[in-house]
Amino acid sequence: MARFRMTTRWALTLAALAVLLPVAKAGEASAPPRWLADLPLLQVLIYGSVAGLALSVLILLLIWWKEWRRGDVW
Amino acid sequence: MESFAGAVVIFAVGGVVTLATTVMVIQGHLHWRGRDPWGEG
Amino acid sequence: MVISPTLAVQPFLAPGIAWALVVIFSVLWIALGVSWGRRGSGDADDYMLAGRNIGLALSTATLMASWVTGNTTLLAPEFGYRNGLWGMFSYALAGLGLVLFAPLALRIKTLMPKGRTSGDFIRLRYGRAAWWVFMVITATYTLGFLMTQAMGAGILLEALSGFDYRLGMVVVIGVSTIYTLYGGMRAVVGTDFIQSLLIMGLLVLVAVLALRQFPVPELHRALVEEHPERLNLLLPAGLLIAWNSALFSMGEVFHNNIWWSRVFSSRASVVFSSFVLGGLAWMTVPLVTGSIGLVALAQSVDLPQVNMLFPVVASQLLGAGGAALVFVVVFASLTSTLDSLLASTADLVAEDVVFKLLNPNMSDAQLRQATRLVVLGLGLLTLLLSWPRLDSLASVLFFTGALVASTIWPVAYGLYWPSANRGAAIAAMVSGSAVGLAAYVLIAPYCAALLSAAVSAVVMAVGTQLQPERFDWLTLKEG
């Protein structure tokens, strides 16, 4: 019984170390990983969202105009 | 929790919950497509 | 490009111009609201749900306008400014709530052709006990939402134009209440259409001018040199908040009657498309306003308060004209959100509490009258609750994320699976809210909606597996 307890304790400690060491190491390695967005990504994001918003206005007006002509707005 | 590893854990859990909810809704939607909406399912 | 500190402290707009804008837009909203309210058959359904036949254009626009709150124009730039790209992504993911609600909206419209509120669904699907839990959650959230919009109105109009806090609040609540009271849902939906076009069009204008003055390559270079963390896609603070808005927004949209009343008001053929279109279009708004935050950061704009970023940048770029544009955008955002909240909450209280709970023998005309009285009462209650100014309230109210996220699974599960169990639904809402609130206090606010949704999902799924119910969908049709 005592032996079992010792083994379990060792196994638990080892398992904990196996999990915690890499995590601690990652934290210790001063700077966490970084991935800076490059210029094309930022351009797609910003120009894309402005264009998307402008397009939404146009689509909304177009749908409204079509529905208005059919008398289908309400 | 401010550590990188902690942030990755929270990010992963959030992603899993969001994905699970999305899958549940899409599954339900596809299940009822073309079926009698009042039926047993 | 650093603006002088004196300009930053003073209001951006001369009081005369601000008053002129308030009078013009107040008169316009009230006149349009009242005249649209005269259309239609004049029964309770017409007042509460605009005749249940709104087309795609108005339906999409009303979703956009209601979801663009004062926060989307003023808090989203702050998110970009403080957390960079992840701040913008996270905010934009709130559009997911609307997009994912599209399939549910279709099912609701099919199953409940005579339904009026989200409370109707919970009561018929899960019974009275679940309804009580649901009403506590929705009442807490809705009152919080009403108060943040009202206080936001007072604080913003004060900062933009030097109005006294209470004066600004009374004007915005007063105008929204008057046209909602006289025109009902028709007034809300009609004005929302114009308000959403104004908001989107003016935002495009400000963004294009900002980017012409500070093109993206220059912006990228300045950020890499001065603030590289804002571009970091692995930023820990960004990863932590990444999914928070998505889950919070699903909780808000799936349960709240603002969105259910839009489903019942719209034509069956357009509900699906309007939620998808509205959600996708909405997602561009925080990205655009967030980009304005990045421009402010790259230009090292001197800010009196971070939440004044959008007005500062706009007035720098366009002078007094820019400040006037921002004033119009903010005024439209606030009134369009408040009118929706007032109308749909009045529907919920009148239908679920006054009619179904207290007086089931009410006539149609009495129900219509009761809804109008509730609109007025809610307007006055909001005014009363927001009278003492609490600047920290907005952040405290994020705790409602813990409550609303617990309704996501009970609502969606109950719409799709006849086996969804009523006991499990109650347990899911209660346990999800409790764990979410504990996480809010003990861990961090960004964990609240996440853990609440996770726990309620597990409880709902496991409870249903253990004791499947056999729900008859026709129960919903009759309600």
Side-chain angles (χ1 to χ4, degrees), chain A residues 34-35 37 53 67 72-74, chain C residues 53 55-56 220 231 233 267:
Chain A
R34 254 173 150 200
W35 172 24
L53 190 59
E67 287 186 333
D72 245 4
V73 172
W74 293 96
Chain C
N53 196 35
L56 185 58
H220 189 260
L231 292 173
L233 295 172
R267 202 175 295 152

Side-chain angles (χ1 to χ4, degrees), chain C residues 301-326:
Chain C
V301 170
D302 188 20
L303 295 168
Q305 289 163 274
V306 188
N307 59 8
M308 283 294 117
L309 201 154
F310 183 48
V312 171
V313 174
S315 57
Q316 252 194 47
L317 291 168
L318 302 151
L325 286 184
V326 172

Side-chain angles (χ1 to χ4, degrees), chain C residues 151 155 389-395:
Chain C
M151 288 188 189
I155 293 169
R389 177 179 175 161
L390 304 168
D391 283 295
S392 60
L393 190 89
S395 59

